Amino acid sequence: MLEMETTDVSHQLATEFVLKTSENVFVTGKAGTGKTTFLRAVQKNSTKNTVVAAPTGVAAINAGGMTLHSLFQLPFNAFLPTKQRVPSNFSNIHSLFENFKFSKAKIELIKELELLIIDEVSMLRADTLDCIDTILKTIRKNLQEPFGGVQVLFIGDLFQLPPVVKDDEWAVLKDYYDTPFFFSAQIMKESNFLNIEFTRIYRQNEEKFIRLLNKVRNNEMTEDDYYLLNERYQPEMLSELEDYITLSTHNVKVDKINQAQLQKLEGDLFEFTAKIDGDFNENALPTEMKLQLKTGAQVMFIKNDSKPEKKYYNGKLATVKKITKEEITVQFFDDGSEFKVEQEKWENIRYNYNTATDKIEEDVIGSFTQYPLRLAWAITIHKSQGLTFEKAVIDAGYAFAAGQVYVALSRCTNINGLFLMTQISPNAIMSDARIVDFTENYLSREEDLQQQLPFQKMEYAKKQLIKAFEWSKMVLLIEDFTEFAEEKKIPEKDDLIALLKSMEKKIRELKQTAATFSVQLQDILNHLDKEENQTLLQERVLKSIHYFGEQLAKEIIEPLHQYIISIQNKKGVRGFLKKADEVEQALLSKLKQLEKLQFGDSAFYQGSSFFNFDTTVISEKIQQKPEKGESHRESLRLYKEGKTIEDIAKERSMAVSTIEGHLASFIPSGEVKIDDFLNENELTEIKKVMDKFDNLQLGPIKSELGDKFTYGQLRMAMSYFGNK
C-alpha cells in the first residue's frame, strides 16, 4: 500500500489506479493539495518499471527525473501529427525517425517501460505529447494502444504556468489542436484517461481565503472579491515588514531587490562556488553557481532536508546568523532556533534497463553540490511554484501569463500574512476559459471511479498473471549468452558450450509448455464468474509454479551456478564471470517472479525458494576485483580533472587511441561533450561520408576523409551520431 499520511479518498483512488491498474491517469488539484507528496510516494512504492520526467530542466531536477526531451530525444521544433509534408521548421511522423537514431540502450529502455510519470504537466504542449506517443508506439511496435501500451500518470495544476508556444508556431499548430495544452493532444482525444482532482487543501486552512483563491483560479472574481483581496494593499506597511519574502513576476525585479538588500548589510561578503561533477545542465541549476551571502542575509532553503531530522524544507525561511569560508549558520524565522547548514547534492539521472533484474534503474550521470540556499528577500513567482510561505509580499500587478496571480497568492498559508505591492486588477487575473471548460466537464466523478476500480484491478491482475508465464526474454537471454561465450577464451569451454546448448533446449521447451498453458489460463480467466473456475485457477497456477520453478532451478540455474563456482578462481575470467553473474541474476529474478506470483492480494505459492544457493559471493568478488582493461571510468575521471588525452595515455601506459575509445563511450550519456573534439561543421562533413556506407567501419570512412581527422575523432563522431 502507498505510504502516505492521508485518508483523503481522492489520494487513495489515484494510488490504486496508478499502482494496481493499467489506466492512464491525470492527477490535478489546487495548490497545496498534496500533488508533490503523492508523486514522491508513487515513486517509492511502484513495482512497475517507472520513469519520471518533466517538460523543463528545473522541473525534472525537482521531480527527481529527466526532461522529456532528453528521455525521448524529442526534436526542438514543433511536431505535427501527420504524415503529410510540413514546413521545414516543423517535424512530422516521418522526419521524427529520419533525423534521430535511438541507441540500443534507449530502445531497450522504452520497450521495457511500464509507467511514465509526467510532472508539471501544465507546461506540456499538446504537440509534444503526440510526439511522445508516436515514439512509444513505433519503438514498442504497438500502434493499437495509447502510448504503445505504457501507462502514463500526468500530475499538475492547469491553472498554474502554461506551455510556451510561439505565435508563428501556433499559426500552424492551431489547424491540428484546439488548445496548446496537453489535453488537446490527438492521443488524449482518441483514448480514455481518468481525471482525478485532489480537493483537500493542506497549505491553507482559512475558509475565507480558500474560497477567494478558488475564485481567482477559476476567474470568477466579483467586485466584492476584488475589494476583499485589495484590502491587503497597504503601502504604508511595506517599509515596516520584516521576515517577509517578495514574490515578483520578473527576474530583473527579483535580482534588484536581493542585491539592494544584500548591499545594505555591513560585514564581509562571502562567495560559495558550487561543484559540478559529470553531466549537469547549467541551464537547470537549482540555485546559483556562485552563492553570495553576508551575516544578516535573508535566505530560503530550496531543498527538503535529506537527513532523518528533517530540520528544513523547500521554502523555509531563515536569516544568516554566522558565516565563515567553511561554515554557514542560520536562524529559522518560525521558531528562532539556529542550524548549521551543510551542502546538499542534486543529481542528474539517466534511466537504464537492467536485464539481470528486469528493472529500469536510475544511473547518476552528474551532480550539483552547493548550499541549499538562495537570497530570499525576493523570488520569482515561477520559482515559487510548489513552495509555502507564512509571510509574503505579492508583486503581481503586471502579471504576463495566465495563472501567475493564482500561483503567487496560493503560496501563502493565510490571508493575514499576505501583502500586495500593487492593487490587483481584473486584467492581472487571467484564467484560460479552455482550462475551466476542461476541468468542469471532464473530471471523473468519485462514485464512478469507485465503481470502475474493482474491474480495472481485476483486468490488470489478469494481464500480470499471463505475463508471468512469458518466456521469450529468457530464451533471448540464453541465446545471447551462448554467442558471448563462443567468442571468449574460457577454461573448459567445450563443457560450457555444451551446458549452454542444453540450457537453450530446456528454456525453449519451457517456453513452448508455457505458451500452451497460457491459452488454458486465458480461458479460465475469461470465465472467472464461474465458481469452479476460481478454484481451478488456484489449482492450475500453483501446479504450474511448481513445474516451471523446479525446472528452472534444477535444470538451468543450478548447472550454471556450479560452472561459475568451478572457474571463479581461474585467471582471465572476470569479464566472463560478470556476464555469467548477470545471466544468473536474471534467471533468479524470473524464478522469484513465479514464487511471489499473486492474483489481487492473494499469493499462490507459500513454500520456500526452489533455489537456495548463495549467489552473492560471486557478485561481490566481481565488484571487488576489477581487472586491467576495464577502465573506461578511470580515463573519464582523469579527463574530468583537466588532463589531456595524451597525458592520460602516458599516465596509464596506454595508446592514445585506447583512451579516445574510452572517452567516446561516454558521448551518448553526455558525460563527454562532442564539442570538445569536433565543431558543427566538422561533424556535418563526417556525417556526409558516414551516410555513404551501409556498414559503419572506420577504415573506409578514414580513407574517404584522408588525414583531416584522426581515428579517435571518427570514433567520437560515430558514437555521437549513433546516439542521435
Side-chain angles (χ1 to χ4, degrees):
M1 185 63 190
L2 188 68
E3 296 178 13
M4 276 184 75
E5 294 181 3
T6 179
T7 57
D8 191 283
V9 175
S10 59
H11 281 230
Q12 292 177 343
L13 282 169
T15 298
E16 294 280 301
F17 273 109
V18 172
L19 298 185
K20 297 183 179 180
T21 83
S22 304
E23 292 294 287
N24 296 321
V25 180
F26 169 41
V27 168
T28 187
K30 305 175 182 69
T33 52
K35 297 186 297 294
T36 300
T37 304
F38 171 76
L39 166 62
R40 297 281 184 261
V42 169
Q43 284 178 276
K44 182 179 179 180
N45 290 274
S46 175
T47 59
K48 301 175 181 179
N49 277 330
T50 303
V51 165
V52 180
T56 68
V58 174
I61 292 295
N62 290 334
M66 297 176 65
T67 64
L68 288 164
H69 279 79
S70 177
L71 178 62
F72 293 109
Q73 297 175 207
L74 300 177
F76 286 98
N77 51 1
F79 174 80
L80 300 178
T82 178
K83 295 180 180 179
Q84 304 298 318
R85 291 178 64 91
V86 299
S88 58
N89 57 330
F90 286 79
S91 296
N92 68 358
I93 294 173
H94 286 312
S95 66
L96 196 59
F97 293 93
E98 287 176 359
N99 300 327
F100 295 89
K101 293 181 180 179
F102 292 81
S103 67
K104 184 180 178 182
K106 182 60 67 81
I107 291 171
E108 199 169 42
L109 171 69
I110 291 173
K111 283 183 176 179
E112 298 301 328
L113 180 60
E114 294 175 304
L115 172 62
L116 171 63
I117 302 174
I118 302 179
D119 195 25
E120 300 291 4
V121 74
S122 69
M123 296 185 283
L124 176 62
R125 291 168 37 156
D127 63 309
T128 303
L129 186 58
D130 277 334
C131 185
I132 291 168
D133 174 63
T134 301
I135 290 170
L136 287 169
K137 283 177 175 174
T138 304
I139 290 180
R140 293 168 67 89
K141 296 183 171 59
N142 182 354
L143 303 180
Q144 288 73 43
E145 293 185 271
F147 308 108
V150 175
Q151 181 188 20
V152 184
L153 167 62
F154 306 95
I155 303 176
D157 183 1
L158 295 175
F159 289 91
Q160 298 193 23
L161 300 174
V164 178
V165 184
K166 298 175 183 175
D167 290 341
D168 59 332
E169 290 178 326
W170 185 243
V172 179
L173 287 168
K174 68 181 182 181
D175 293 334
Y176 297 87
Y177 300 104
D178 298 330
T179 81
F181 296 96
F182 86 100
F183 57 76
S184 292
Q186 291 192 7
I187 184 57
M188 298 300 280
K189 292 182 176 182
E190 296 168 4
S191 59
N192 295 320
F193 63 103
L194 306 175
N195 298 301
I196 301 176
E197 184 178 20
F198 292 173
T199 55
R200 182 179 173 184
I201 305 289
Y202 293 92
R203 184 175 289 138
Q204 294 89 18
N205 54 23
E206 294 178 342
E207 286 298 323
K208 181 173 73 171
F209 189 35
I210 291 173
R211 283 197 299 271
L212 182 64
L213 288 175
N214 286 341
K215 289 188 174 184
V216 173
R217 184 175 187 262
N218 298 328
N219 202 13
E220 297 172 345
M221 295 281 285
T222 65
E223 189 174 332
D224 289 342
D225 295 323
Y226 279 108
Y227 179 80
L228 176 63
L229 177 59
N230 285 315
E231 281 186 334
R232 305 312 301 164
Y233 174 62
Q234 302 173 23
E236 70 281 0
M237 292 286 295
L238 294 177
S239 61
E240 301 177 15
L241 297 177
E242 295 182 0
D243 303 345
Y244 278 69
I245 186 169
T246 298
L247 308 185
S248 188
T249 50
H250 294 76
N251 276 308
V252 175
K253 284 188 173 182
V254 166
D255 292 341
K256 188 177 179 180
I257 293 171
N258 283 329
Q259 287 304 313
Q261 292 292 336
L262 187 65
Q263 288 174 13
K264 286 181 183 179
L265 296 176
E266 297 180 358
D268 296 333
L269 179 70
F270 291 85
E271 185 173 273
F272 302 92
T273 303
K275 179 185 178 185
I276 293 179
D277 291 316
D279 182 26
F280 203 99
N281 185 358
E282 293 191 9
N283 294 319
L285 299 182
T287 188
E288 289 86 354
M289 189 69 193
K290 296 183 183 295
L291 175 65
Q292 292 185 332
L293 296 175
K294 288 182 181 179
T295 300
Q298 183 166 301
V299 294
M300 180 183 74
F301 285 85
I302 47 111
K303 196 176 193 292
N304 294 332
D305 190 356
S306 58
K307 294 186 171 57
E309 293 79 13
K310 306 299 178 188
K311 290 288 188 179
Y312 58 85
Y313 54 83
N314 192 5
K316 188 163 187 171
L317 294 173
T319 302
V320 177
K321 193 73 173 176
K322 184 172 66 176
I323 186 170
T324 67
K325 290 180 179 180
E326 294 80 28
E327 187 176 307
I328 301 173
T329 300
V330 301
Q331 184 176 37
F332 294 123
F333 282 6
D334 52 6
D335 61 9
S337 64
E338 294 187 6
F339 177 72
K340 182 180 173 182
V341 185
E342 295 181 5
Q343 291 190 335
E344 285 273 3
K345 181 182 288 186
W346 289 260
E347 293 178 338
N348 183 22
I349 68 166
R350 174 182 63 193
Y351 291 100
N352 291 301
Y353 172 65
N354 186 330
T355 55
T357 61
D358 195 26
K359 295 291 183 184
I360 290 175
E361 299 174 345
E362 295 180 0
D363 182 18
V364 179
I365 63 172
S367 64
F368 175 90
T369 304
Q370 177 62 288
Y371 288 101
L373 301 171
R374 74 162 74 241
L375 291 176
W377 286 284
I379 63 170
T380 62
I381 294 171
H382 182 94
K383 288 179 179 176
S384 76
Q385 201 163 348
L387 303 180
T388 300
F389 305 111
E390 294 181 4
K391 300 177 180 180
V393 176
I394 309 298
D395 178 21
Y398 301 98
F400 59 87
Q404 274 200 322
V405 172
Y406 171 70
V407 171
L409 295 175
S410 61
R411 300 309 93 195
C412 303
T413 58
N414 63 90
I415 197 167
N416 292 325
L418 182 160
F419 285 88
L420 299 177
M421 190 169 288
T422 59
Q423 293 194 20
I424 302 295
S425 69
N427 291 333
I429 297 180
M430 296 174 284
S431 180
D432 198 313
R434 298 166 298 182
I435 297 174
V436 176
D437 175 69
F438 173 77
T439 53
E440 287 182 350
N441 295 310
Y442 292 95
L443 285 174
S444 305
R445 296 193 312 152
E446 191 175 289
E447 48 268 37
D448 293 338
L449 293 171
Q450 295 275 24
Q451 193 172 356
Q452 289 182 47
L453 183 59
F455 173 77
Q456 296 297 345
K457 286 174 68 174
M458 177 65 73
E459 290 302 298
Y460 178 71
K462 289 177 181 178
K463 287 181 182 177
Q464 294 303 105
L465 197 55
I466 294 291
K467 186 179 177 181
F469 293 98
E470 171 56 54
W471 287 80
S472 297
K473 285 184 183 178
M474 295 297 100
V475 173
L476 290 173
L477 179 78
I478 302 302
E479 288 178 348
D480 290 345
F481 186 40
T482 303
E483 289 182 15
F484 174 84
E486 286 174 338
E487 297 175 357
K488 290 287 183 179
K489 293 182 179 179
I490 313 165
E492 303 170 22
K493 184 173 178 176
D494 290 344
D495 292 343
L496 173 64
I497 300 302
L499 170 62
L500 293 178
K501 295 293 184 184
S502 172
M503 289 168 60
E504 276 190 46
K505 183 181 178 183
K506 175 55 66 174
I507 210 88
R508 287 197 186 97
E509 290 174 359
L510 291 178
K511 179 186 177 184
Q512 189 173 354
T513 305
T516 304
F517 172 66
S518 293
V519 174
Q520 300 169 0
L521 180 60
Q522 188 66 65
D523 185 60
I524 296 171
L525 292 171
N526 289 340
H527 300 90
L528 278 182
D529 53 323
K530 299 178 181 178
E531 190 173 337
E532 61 267 27
N533 274 5
Q534 296 174 22
T535 304
L536 185 60
L537 178 66
Q538 294 291 328
E539 293 174 353
R540 294 302 309 274
V541 172
L542 183 58
K543 186 177 178 181
S544 296
I545 291 172
H546 275 279
Y547 172 77
F548 289 107
E550 288 171 357
Q551 290 289 306
L552 181 58
K554 304 300 180 186
E555 301 295 327
I556 297 174
I557 302 177
E558 188 173 330
L560 176 61
H561 184 73
Q562 294 298 342
Y563 179 83
I564 293 172
I565 294 293
S566 71
I567 67 163
Q568 63 176 314
N569 294 319
K570 298 190 177 181
K571 293 182 178 180
V573 296
R574 181 179 175 270
F576 172 78
L577 281 178
K578 186 176 180 181
K579 181 71 173 179
D581 182 62
E582 289 175 358
V583 172
E584 185 176 57
Q585 295 304 318
L587 293 167
L588 285 169
S589 289
K590 182 66 177 179
L591 183 62
K592 289 174 185 175
Q593 182 191 27
L594 291 170
E595 293 170 349
K596 294 180 179 181
L597 199 56
Q598 60 184 51
F599 192 66
D601 297 324
S602 302
F604 289 99
Y605 180 70
Q606 304 291 338
S608 57
S609 179
F610 295 104
F611 185 81
N612 294 305
F613 293 91
D614 182 11
T615 63
T616 60
V617 176
I618 303 300
S619 298
E620 290 171 359
K621 184 172 291 190
I622 293 168
Q623 296 299 323
Q624 291 171 2
K625 291 179 64 178
E627 269 186 1
K628 291 181 179 179
E630 297 184 1
S631 54
H632 294 63
R633 282 280 169 190
E634 179 63 12
S635 296
L636 178 65
R637 184 185 68 79
L638 294 169
Y639 180 73
K640 291 292 186 182
E641 289 181 357
K643 295 183 179 180
T644 67
I645 291 175
E646 289 74 20
D647 289 338
I648 299 169
K650 186 176 180 180
E651 181 175 329
R652 305 203 63 208
S653 301
M654 293 179 177
V656 169
S657 59
T658 301
I659 304 302
E660 289 173 334
H662 289 176
L663 298 180
S665 68
F666 294 105
I667 285 177
S669 68
E671 291 172 87
V672 171
K673 305 293 185 185
I674 189 65
D675 300 347
D676 293 351
F677 303 92
L678 295 160
N679 60 40
E680 189 173 346
N681 291 333
E682 289 171 330
L683 284 169
T684 302
E685 185 177 353
I686 295 171
K687 185 66 165 62
K688 286 180 180 177
V689 175
M690 286 173 60
D691 289 342
K692 295 180 182 179
F693 300 93
D694 292 330
N695 297 316
L696 292 182
Q697 295 181 341
L698 278 175
I701 296 171
K702 183 73 167 66
S703 297
E704 182 87 9
L705 290 165
D707 295 329
K708 190 170 182 179
F709 301 99
T710 66
Y711 277 103
Q713 287 176 311
L714 295 180
R715 285 193 185 92
M716 299 286 180
M718 289 173 70
S719 185
Y720 174 74
F721 288 116
N723 189 51
K724 297 280 282 185

